[in-house]
């Protein structure tokens, strides 16, 4: 089963994802795609670790290349989050884009293939993403391409998902399917 | 308490008026003793950067309001400024906790009140 969770910052995606994972097959793997940049990043990660503590997750720090990640067979994996994974696959640490052609087709295909590879090893894959397209600010071309790419990935993964939820104020709004 | 959320310009204030509240009962972005507050995000963002977590202290006073209205500001690209990032997160988390306390949570989309917690009307 594949479940996609979306929602804005602070909308309760992580808490819902964790409680959902805990109803699914063991073992539980938590795939952390966020690179620990600086003190603020460390603080975010520490907070997430604290919220996850005692829930039985084995944490795997993996910032890219999900297509070659080996998971325990038949368990549940929670990937957090696709916005970090996409940024890591699209940009290098200096913010330069890997794909000189800027169409990002290869990045798109790599990420979708990576998610397929994770799903093939799990009984349940829970993917957390974000609504990065929902503001009116003006951005540089690289950021605009990132917004388009993540939107494209979200669409592709939602099409493959058995269930899709949007979190609003911690409340899961079912957009597709249902979790059994 | 009823929690009302939605994007800017989605029709949240009109919805509050439709519940029977007039403008003299509605505080705009400030904490006072009026029964309704709108633009809660402005209160959270007004905190000093070091005090974003102080938003937690708003929970109890807000839970005593009749109606709390907040813009949904968690979408979009992660803000460049640390204060904006932290305030955005704090605002979202405060709304999650308010939603747990609320009898009803209403999300206004294109002027349509969508009840996401509690009973119609």
């Amino acid at each position: 089963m594949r479940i996609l969770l979306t929602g804005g910052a602070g909308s309760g995606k992580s808490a819902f994802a964790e409680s959902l994972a805990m109803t699914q097959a063991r073992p539980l793997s938590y795939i952390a795609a966020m690179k620990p940049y600086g003190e603020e990043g460390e603080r975010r990660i520490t907070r997430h670790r604290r919220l996850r503590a005692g829930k039985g997750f084995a944490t795997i720090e993996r910032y890219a290349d999900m297509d070659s990640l080996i998971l325990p067979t038949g368990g549940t994996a929670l990937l957090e989050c696709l916005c970090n994974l996409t940024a890591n696959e699209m940009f290098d640490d200096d913010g330069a884009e890997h794909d000189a052609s800027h169409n990002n087709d290869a990045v798109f295909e790599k990420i979708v293939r990576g998610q397929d590879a994770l799903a093939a090893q799990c009984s349940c894959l829970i993917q957390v993403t974000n609504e990065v397209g929902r503001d009116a600010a003006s951005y540089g071309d690289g950021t605009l391409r990132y917004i388009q790419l993540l939107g494209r990935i979200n669409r592709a993964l939602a099409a493959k998902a058995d269930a899709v939820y949007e979190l609003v104020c911690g409340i899961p709004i079912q957009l597709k399917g249902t979790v059994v | 308490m009823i929690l009302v959320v939605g994007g800017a310009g989605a029709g949240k204030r009109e919805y509050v008026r439709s519940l029977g509240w007039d403008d003299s009962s509605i505080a705009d972005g400030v904490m006072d003793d009026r029964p309704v507050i709108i633009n809660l995000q402005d209160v959270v963002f007004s905190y000093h950067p070091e005090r974003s977590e102080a938003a937690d202290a708003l929970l109890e006073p807000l839970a005593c309001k009749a109606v709390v209205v907040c813009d949904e500001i968690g979408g979009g690209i992660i803000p460049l400024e640390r204060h904006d990032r932290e305030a955005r997160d704090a605002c979202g988390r405060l709304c999650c906790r308010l939603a747990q306390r609320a009898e009803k949570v209403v999300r206004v989309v294109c002027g349509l009140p969508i009840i996401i917690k509690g009973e119609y009307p």
Side-chain angles (χ1 to χ4, degrees), chain A residues 39-67:
Chain A
E39 176 261 335
E40 183 189 350
E42 297 282 2
R43 222 154 51 89
R44 264 168 205 280
I45 288 168
T46 304
R47 178 178 168 274
H48 272 267
R49 279 184 184 275
R50 194 180 70 233
L51 294 174
R52 227 169 37 244
K55 294 181 179 172
F57 288 92
T59 299
I60 303 166
E61 287 182 38
R62 182 81 167 199
Y63 309 133
D65 306 319
M66 297 299 170
D67 44 343

Side-chain angles (χ1 to χ4, degrees), chain B residues 31-103:
Chain B
M31 288 297 289
D32 58 22
D33 56 6
R34 280 176 281 185
V36 179
I37 180 170
I38 63 171
N39 289 319
L40 171 63
Q41 74 281 356
D42 289 347
V43 179
V44 177
F45 273 73
S46 70
Y47 283 123
H48 186 272
E50 305 298 319
R51 292 188 59 232
S52 292
E53 283 161 3
D56 292 348
L58 292 168
L59 182 63
E60 289 306 324
L62 287 168
C64 298
K65 299 270 185 194
V67 183
V68 175
V69 182
C70 190
D71 279 11
E72 278 187 66
I73 53 156
I77 288 291
I78 297 172
L80 277 176
E81 298 297 328
R82 177 172 180 167
H83 169 251
D84 294 345
R85 288 194 292 275
E86 295 188 339
R88 189 174 82 140
D89 285 350
C91 191
R93 289 201 287 268
L94 179 61
C95 283
C96 288
R97 296 174 73 188
L98 286 167
Q100 289 174 342
R101 298 284 292 270
E103 297 118 54

Side-chain angles (χ1 to χ4, degrees), chain A residues 27-36 45 49 52 56-66 68-73 76-81 85 118 121-122 125:
Chain A
L28 306 179
S29 304
Y30 180 89
I31 308 169
M34 184 187 177
K35 291 183 185 176
I45 288 168
R49 279 184 184 275
R52 227 169 37 244
F57 288 92
T59 299
I60 303 166
E61 287 182 38
R62 182 81 167 199
Y63 309 133
D65 306 319
M66 297 299 170
S68 58
L69 179 62
I70 306 295
L71 292 172
T73 307
T76 295
L78 165 51
L79 170 77
E80 192 154 29
C81 67
L85 175 64
L118 297 180
Q121 302 175 71
C122 297
L125 173 64

Side-chain angles (χ1 to χ4, degrees), chain A residues 108-125:
Chain A
F108 169 78
E109 279 155 22
K110 183 184 176 192
I111 290 176
V112 172
R113 192 171 64 239
Q115 298 305 301
D116 288 347
L118 297 180
Q121 302 175 71
C122 297
S123 132
C124 178
L125 173 64

Side-chain angles (χ1 to χ4, degrees), chain B residues 4 6 52 90 115:
Chain B
V4 180
S52 292
I115 313 291

Side-chain angles (χ1 to χ4, degrees), chain A residues 7-12 39-40 43-44 47 130-135 139 143 146-147 166 168-171 173, chain B residues 3 5 53 72 74-78 82 85-86 88-89 91-93 95-97 99-100 105 107 116-117:
Chain A
S11 62
E39 176 261 335
E40 183 189 350
R43 222 154 51 89
R44 264 168 205 280
R47 178 178 168 274
N130 206 313
E131 291 296 313
V132 294
R134 282 197 199 162
D135 67 25
Y139 297 108
T143 303
Y146 168 77
I147 293 170
E166 178 184 10
V168 179
C169 302
I171 299 166
I173 313 287
Chain B
L3 176 64
V5 297
E53 283 161 3
E72 278 187 66
I77 288 291
I78 297 172
R82 177 172 180 167
R85 288 194 292 275
E86 295 188 339
R88 189 174 82 140
D89 285 350
C91 191
R93 289 201 287 268
C95 283
C96 288
R97 296 174 73 188
Q100 289 174 342
V105 181
R107 186 189 209 194
I116 60 174
K117 175 184 175 181

